[in-house]
Amino acid sequence: MNENLTLSYLYSERDKQTVEQNITDVEIIKSVLEGNKDMFSHLVDRYQQMIFGYAFHLCRNRATADDLTQETFITAYKSLDRLKEPGAFPGWMLGILKNKYRNLARDNKIPTIPLSELGIDLPDSGQQETFSQDDLDKIVKYVYSLPEKYKEVILLKYVKDFSYKEIADILGIPVSTVTMRLIYGRKLLVEKAKKDGLL
Amino acid sequence: MIFHLSIRKMTEYLDGQLAENQLLKTQTHLDNCTKCQKKMKILKISEKILQVPENPLDTLRNRILDNIIEVKWSVSSPVIGEIQSVIGLASVKSRKTREELEAFPGMVLRKDDILKTGNSSKVLIKWKDESEFYVNEKTEIDFSEPQYPISLQLGEIFAMMKPQRELFEIKTPSTVLAVVGTDFDTKVTGNRKTILQVVKGKVSFKSKTGDVLVKKINRQNHLNTLNLLSQKLKIYNRFKVGLSPSTRI
C-alpha cells in the first residue's frame, strides 16, 4: 500500500485547497492523532461519497445509508489509533461499514425501497426497446445477487469512476485481481441473462 | 464463423482501457453485431443500477462532524495483533484510556486491551507472529497483564500457534498454559475451571497441584472429542474465509 496515496479524484470542490496543499491521508491522520481534531473533516470530505454510495448499495435505503455513513465515520474517528497502515484508510473504513451493515441486517429487517423510487436514472421499457420492464427487474436482481467481491469492484468503478489502480489501493488487492474481478463479475451477469433467455 | 466480443474486451471498452485502434475496431463490431449490442446493453444497465442517488452531502458532513468529540488515543501501547473477522457484537476496551470500542475487521489490538465477545459472537485474531486465535462467544480476554500475552478470564479460544521462539504463556484463573507451537482449544467455565484439548503438538498445563504435559488426544480413546474438535476447526475455517458458521460451537 502506498502510504503517500493522494486520492485527488475523490476531492470535492470544498476540498480543493487540501489538494493544492497536497496533504495525504497519512499526514491528515497523523495530525488528527496529534490532537488536531478538525483535520478529520478533510477525510470526511474525501470519502463520504464513497462510503455513502457503498452503504446505499448494501442496504438500498437512503436513510439507513445515511446513518451507516455517519456511524462509520464516527467509529473510524474513535478508532483511528487502531489503524495499522494510515495509507489504507479508505479500505479500512469499508471494513467498518460492512461490519456495521452485517450487524444491522442481522438484527433488523431493513426496508428496501425499489430503485425506481430512489431517483436513479434507470431506462424503463418505454425508453429502450431491447428489454421489457420484467427483464430490467431481472437485471437488477442479477446485479444485487453477485458475490460481494465482484459486486464491490463494479460498484467502486461506478460510484466515483475509480481507475483500476485506485480500486486496488482502496481494497488493498493487486490491480490484476481488480481486472479479473471486473471481468468475471460482468461475465456472471451475462451468463445469468443468457440462462433466463434475455440474450 | 462469426466472432463476438469477449467479456474481457467489453470490460476494457466500458472502462476506457482500450487503445485508440482497438476502440475503433470494437466500436465498429458493436455497430454491426446485435448480439454483442444486447450484451453491452445489459452491462450498461448494470452500471446505471449501481449509480448513487443524489444525497445532500453537506447535511451528512455536518451530522458527522457534530458527533466528532475528543477521544483519548492509545498509540503508545505496543501492537499485539489485529482483528481479522468479527461475527456479531464484540468490544475492545483499553485499560489505559478507558475508551470502549466496537470490534471490527482491521482493528489493531494493543497490549492494554480487553476483548469481550457477546452472545453468538465470534472474533478471529491474527497475532503479530501470524498465530491465529478464534475467540468464541461470551469470552473475555485480557491482553494487559505484563507477564502473560493472553489472560483468558472466561469463555473459549481455539489457538493455532506458529512455532514460538520464546515461551508463550496463556493464563487462566486456575492455570497457566505454556505453548511452543501447536493447535489447541481452551475453555474457562463459569466456575473458573479450565478445560484444555490439544489437537496438535504439546501444551504444558501448570496449576497449583503441579505441571502436566498435555499431548494431542489419543484417537482410539477419545474419538468423540476428536470429532468435536475437528468439527470446530472446520467451522472456524469457514469463519476465517468470511462465511457465517451455521452451527453453534
Side-chain angles (χ1 to χ4, degrees):
Chain A
M1 181 62 62
N2 176 11
E3 292 233 336
N4 293 315
L5 185 72
T6 305
L7 300 172
S8 56
Y9 47 87
L10 285 166
Y11 294 171
S12 62
E13 283 300 306
R14 182 177 39 238
D15 207 37
K16 285 257 165 72
Q17 204 186 341
T18 310
V19 179
E20 281 158 20
Q21 290 168 349
N22 206 25
I23 298 177
T24 64
D25 287 357
V26 178
E27 288 164 333
I28 294 171
I29 290 163
K30 188 169 176 269
S31 178
V32 175
L33 289 172
E34 283 167 357
N36 302 315
K37 176 170 83 84
D38 294 344
M39 287 296 283
F40 192 74
S41 64
H42 293 300
L43 295 173
V44 177
D45 290 334
R46 283 182 189 185
Y47 298 115
Q48 70 166 326
Q49 198 175 345
M50 178 188 86
I51 294 295
F52 173 78
Y54 203 106
F56 176 77
H57 285 291
L58 280 176
C59 60
R60 268 205 281 163
N61 179 295
R62 196 189 294 241
T64 309
D66 239 40
D67 290 345
L68 279 170
T69 307
Q70 182 183 333
E71 286 171 25
T72 298
F73 273 103
I74 293 166
T75 300
Y77 172 77
K78 284 162 77 179
S79 317
L80 211 54
D81 58 337
R82 308 286 179 159
L83 168 62
K84 199 173 174 184
E85 289 179 50
F89 180 75
W92 183 72
M93 284 234 298
L94 284 180
I96 298 175
L97 169 67
K98 285 188 254 181
N99 196 53
K100 283 189 181 292
Y101 172 71
R102 269 197 301 268
N103 286 333
L104 189 72
R106 197 180 63 152
D107 299 336
N108 305 282
K109 176 107 181 93
I110 301 168
T112 303
I113 300 167
L115 280 168
S116 54
E117 290 174 27
L118 288 167
I120 286 183
D121 179 25
L122 189 64
D124 61 33
S125 53
Q127 285 173 311
Q128 54 89 40
E129 296 154 6
T130 320
F131 300 110
S132 65
Q133 189 58 50
D134 188 38
D135 291 340
L136 289 174
D137 290 342
K138 281 181 185 160
I139 298 171
V140 171
K141 272 188 198 157
Y142 303 154
V143 172
Y144 280 105
S145 62
L146 273 180
E148 193 177 318
K149 63 180 179 180
Y150 302 122
K151 192 166 68 185
E152 181 171 67
V153 284
I154 300 176
L155 179 61
L156 287 172
K157 186 81 198 77
Y158 299 139
V159 160
K160 285 289 287 180
D161 196 21
F162 291 135
S163 72
Y164 289 9
K165 170 76 172 68
E166 289 158 352
I167 296 172
D169 284 342
I170 289 170
L171 297 176
I173 54 176
V175 175
S176 56
T177 306
V178 172
T179 311
M180 289 319 294
R181 286 185 187 176
L182 281 166
I183 294 168
Y184 198 71
R186 283 159 168 156
K187 199 174 170 193
L188 283 178
L189 290 175
V190 169
E191 277 171 3
K192 284 183 179 183
K194 250 187 209 169
K195 203 175 161 192
D196 281 353
L198 270 68
L199 286 170
Chain B
M1 191 173 176
I2 301 165
F3 290 99
H4 293 291
L5 294 175
S6 64
I7 299 293
R8 178 185 280 271
K9 191 64 79 189
M10 288 188 174
T11 295
E12 288 169 349
Y13 174 83
L14 279 168
D15 296 344
Q17 304 287 313
L18 290 175
E20 205 172 323
N21 61 335
Q22 284 289 310
L23 183 67
L24 197 68
K25 225 170 139 182
T26 307
Q27 187 58 59
T28 309
H29 180 89
L30 276 172
D31 290 343
N32 296 294
C33 177
T34 47
K35 197 172 173 184
C36 287
Q37 278 170 18
K38 243 182 154 182
K39 272 190 199 172
M40 186 60 85
K41 210 156 205 171
I42 287 182
L43 297 180
K44 285 190 171 173
I45 289 169
S46 310
E47 280 186 31
K48 294 245 177 200
I49 291 164
L50 290 171
Q51 282 175 78
V52 179
E54 287 294 318
N55 198 48
L57 292 175
D58 275 339
T59 318
L60 182 57
R61 178 184 193 269
N62 294 338
R63 270 176 56 194
I64 295 166
L65 295 178
D66 286 349
N67 282 286
I68 297 295
I69 48 161
E70 294 287 346
V71 290
K72 289 176 193 159
W73 314 113
S74 63
V75 280
S76 58
S77 302
V79 171
I80 52 167
E82 188 179 328
I83 291 178
Q84 295 285 297
S85 319
V86 181
I87 291 175
L89 289 173
S91 68
V92 173
K93 187 175 180 179
S94 164
R95 271 194 193 279
K96 198 180 262 180
T97 64
R98 305 260 166 215
E99 297 280 354
E100 186 160 13
L101 304 160
E102 73 177 72
F104 56 85
M107 181 185 217
V108 155
L109 290 169
R110 295 185 183 275
K111 181 62 191 159
D112 60 3
D113 288 339
I114 297 167
L115 171 76
K116 281 184 189 173
T117 55
N119 281 350
S120 310
S121 80
K122 289 164 189 66
V123 170
L124 168 61
I125 299 169
K126 187 166 255 182
W127 206 252
K128 55 187 176 183
D129 69 352
E130 305 278 302
S131 294
E132 289 178 332
F133 297 95
Y134 303 91
V135 183
N136 209 348
E137 64 170 348
K138 294 184 244 173
T139 295
E140 185 176 330
I141 305 172
D142 190 343
F143 302 106
S144 68
E145 289 200 30
Q147 66 273 45
Y148 301 106
I150 289 177
S151 173
L152 178 65
Q153 305 289 317
L154 186 70
E156 183 180 22
I157 53 173
F158 189 102
M160 297 179 79
M161 305 287 296
K162 296 282 173 196
Q164 301 295 308
R165 286 191 195 136
E166 290 168 19
L167 188 66
F168 190 101
E169 290 185 320
I170 296 176
K171 191 184 165 225
T172 71
S174 54
T175 60
V176 173
L177 311 175
V179 183
V180 181
T182 183
D183 298 348
F184 63 95
D185 188 89
T186 188
K187 194 174 187 176
V188 174
T189 58
N191 57 4
R192 298 164 72 86
K193 196 171 138 189
T194 300
I195 300 165
L196 170 71
Q197 293 175 313
V198 179
V199 178
K200 202 169 82 184
K202 295 168 192 169
V203 178
S204 160
F205 191 93
K206 300 175 190 172
S207 67
K208 282 174 193 165
T209 51
D211 292 5
V212 182
L213 192 65
V214 183
K215 293 180 186 171
K216 84 172 184 185
I217 294 159
N218 181 304
R219 187 171 287 276
Q220 280 180 342
N221 293 344
H222 302 277
L223 204 57
N224 288 340
T225 315
L226 261 177
N227 281 342
L228 180 69
L229 285 177
S230 129
Q231 199 188 347
K232 273 186 185 180
L233 192 60
K234 273 185 199 160
I235 294 164
Y236 278 129
N237 281 333
R238 276 168 59 78
F239 173 32
K240 193 175 160 185
V241 294
L243 298 170
S244 182
S246 53
T247 318
R248 193 178 165 87
I249 52 175

